Amino acid sequence: MSHIVTVQDAVTAFADFMEPTDAELDAVEQEMPLILAEVDLVDAQITVLDRTPTELDTRRIRRARRRVLAARRTLANQAADAQRGDAA
C-alpha cells in the first residue's frame, strides 16, 4: 500500500537540509555588485518600455550597461586570480 503525503509535509520534511551553505552565501555576496548592476539596467530598460527614450534615458541605459560589463569583468578577473592562485 502506498502512503499519500501532502506536498507541505514533503517540502518541510527536508527544510533543515535546504538552507544555503556558508560557501553559497559567500558566492552570492561576491556577485552582489553584478546583481545590483543588472537590476539597475533592467530598471532603466523598464522605464522606457512605454515611451520613446529621451537622451537622458539613453545615457542611463548606456551607463547601466557599462556597469554590468565592469562588474562581469571584475568577477571574471577574480575567478581567474583565484584559479591561478590554486594552481600555483
Side-chain angles (χ1 to χ4, degrees), residues 54-72:
T54 64
E55 181 63 31
L56 185 62
D57 294 329
T58 305
R59 289 181 198 170
R60 183 178 177 210
I61 291 171
R62 192 172 35 230
R63 280 193 309 267
R65 284 184 181 146
R66 282 195 298 253
R67 281 192 300 267
V68 167
L69 291 174
R72 286 182 182 166

Side-chain angles (χ1 to χ4, degrees), residues 23-64:
E24 290 170 335
L25 291 174
D26 289 341
V28 170
E29 185 66 30
Q30 188 175 11
E31 292 178 8
M32 191 55 68
L34 175 59
I35 294 168
L36 294 175
E38 289 175 338
V39 167
D40 288 342
L41 176 58
V42 170
D43 186 45
Q45 291 170 336
I46 288 172
T47 302
V48 298
L49 280 178
D50 61 346
R51 61 187 169 99
T52 304
T54 64
E55 181 63 31
L56 185 62
D57 294 329
T58 305
R59 289 181 198 170
R60 183 178 177 210
I61 291 171
R62 192 172 35 230
R63 280 193 309 267

